[in-house]
Amino acid sequence: MQDHSKKFNLAYLRLAAFYTLIVMAISIIFSFTIYRIASVEINRGLGGQSNVMRNFYESRIIAELDRLRIDQINESNANLKINLFYFNLLILMLSAGGSYLLARKTLKPIKEALEAQSRFTADASHELRTPLTAMKSEIEVSLRDKNLTPGEFRKLLASNLEEINKLEVLSSELLKLARNENEHRQIGEVDLEEVIIDAYEKIAGLAEKRSIDFENDLSKVLISGDRQSLVDLFVILFENAIKYSPSKSTIRISIKQLDGRAIVSVKDEGFGINASDLPYIFDRFYRADSSRNKEKTTGYGLGLSIAKQIIRAHRASISVESEPDKGSDFQIAFETLK
Ligand code: ADP
């Protein structure tokens, strides 16, 4: 992170110097042109006066007047030079300051994106290391024990398999996240009702296992989008609703149409989310810090960030209302097709 700051400070200075150079080049060309035009005008003005006088005065006086005129021209030119010098100095100071601020503003989004990327890589590496470390230490301890029984070996393998499963889930979520960032989507006319039914079919087994009921109030609504990504989006929301709900509860899915928008609501009767966690649940690797939820449920805190990517790609919006121990209501608003 510190390394980035150093690099960016250097980049601000370089970019500011570049902007200043451009402004100064323009200012110097401008000053040079002004100087040329003004000195020609001064010459012409004072020269014109002396030509008029030549008709009235004798040559001695004319010579004296010419000398005075040349002095006047030189003085005016010198004044002009000094004024232009101060003008350029002022421009230099203003443009250096302005350029630095502009450079910071230009590079700010790039700096933020790079920092987010570094944070993401650090978090991902940390998450990948945890199961690997657990597996390694279990294997090392077992190898040191010469009297390990076949039963204990089986236990070790079962535990390793559990860690491998976690790694599999994590790597597939990381892949989804990366793919969603760059993937070319197949945008077309999509019926939200069909998408929701498809997503429901994928998690129906999980819901049944936990004796969780789904109540649907759906209708056909056409939107423009990528069908597969939209199915992924609802699978994430449905899985979360199941994961964070007690068994034998109900999850209600509805679609309402309002002013050219379709609002899909996924409402559960689960553990809910604390108000202090709500602003962060869409951040990568964020898991609400309720020990009750964290201990009992699996996950890496990536589902909702993938959901947010899909929502952003569809120019839709998501809002959450939640009350601890009462449940959560995730609402997604899509623009409908006419
Ligand atoms: P994961 O579920 O893998 O932890 P997510 O990104 O899907 O990650 O969700 C982030 C966090 O938001 C979860 O850890 C959980 O605390 C909270 N959360 C998401 N959906 C719900 C829900 N329906 N009910 C309660 N908490 C939820």
Side-chain angles (χ1 to χ4, degrees), residues 173 236-237 240-245 266 268 270-273 277 280-283 285-290 293-294 297-306 322 327-330:
E173 294 215 336
I236 292 169
L237 295 176
N240 276 352
I242 297 170
K243 244 175 20 179
Y244 301 107
S245 288
V266 181
D268 64 53
F271 309 133
I273 305 163
D277 286 316
Y280 308 107
I281 57 171
F282 293 97
D283 291 355
F285 295 109
Y286 189 85
R287 304 203 73 208
D289 202 15
S290 149
N293 300 352
K294 227 177 185 173
T297 58
T298 54
Y300 291 94
L302 291 175
L304 286 183
S305 30
I306 298 171
S322 186
S328 311
D329 185 2
F330 284 76

Side-chain angles (χ1 to χ4, degrees), residues 84-96:
L84 285 174
F85 172 76
Y86 283 126
F87 170 74
N88 275 287
L89 203 63
L90 185 71
I91 294 281
L92 177 68
M93 287 192 305
L94 289 178
S95 65

Side-chain angles (χ1 to χ4, degrees), residues 179-275:
R179 227 183 276 141
N180 266 307
E181 203 84 68
N182 311 313
E183 204 173 289
H184 178 70
R185 289 170 209 276
Q186 302 241 302
I187 303 293
E189 204 175 89
V190 182
D191 177 5
L192 269 182
E193 183 181 19
E194 279 177 14
V195 164
I196 289 172
I197 291 170
D198 267 16
Y200 170 73
E201 277 165 7
K202 287 191 194 290
I203 52 85
L206 193 65
E208 207 176 312
K209 231 195 238 172
R210 306 267 329 273
S211 311
I212 289 178
D213 248 9
F214 266 70
E215 269 182 16
N216 298 332
D217 176 11
L218 306 175
S219 51
K220 185 183 168 97
V221 181
L222 294 181
I223 66 160
S224 160
D226 174 40
R227 197 172 200 287
Q228 189 50 53
S229 307
L230 289 168
V231 173
D232 289 346
L233 164 69
F234 287 108
V235 166
I236 292 169
L237 295 176
F238 296 170
E239 268 181 358
N240 276 352
I242 297 170
K243 244 175 20 179
Y244 301 107
S245 288
S247 50
K248 300 198 178 81
S249 58
T250 304
I251 294 169
R252 292 180 177 82
I253 318 292
S254 65
I255 304 182
K256 284 197 176 63
Q257 291 203 60
L258 195 87
D259 302 332
R261 292 186 318 153
I263 295 152
V264 182
S265 153
V266 181
K267 196 167 184 217
D268 64 53
E269 300 170 337
F271 309 133
I273 305 163
N274 289 326

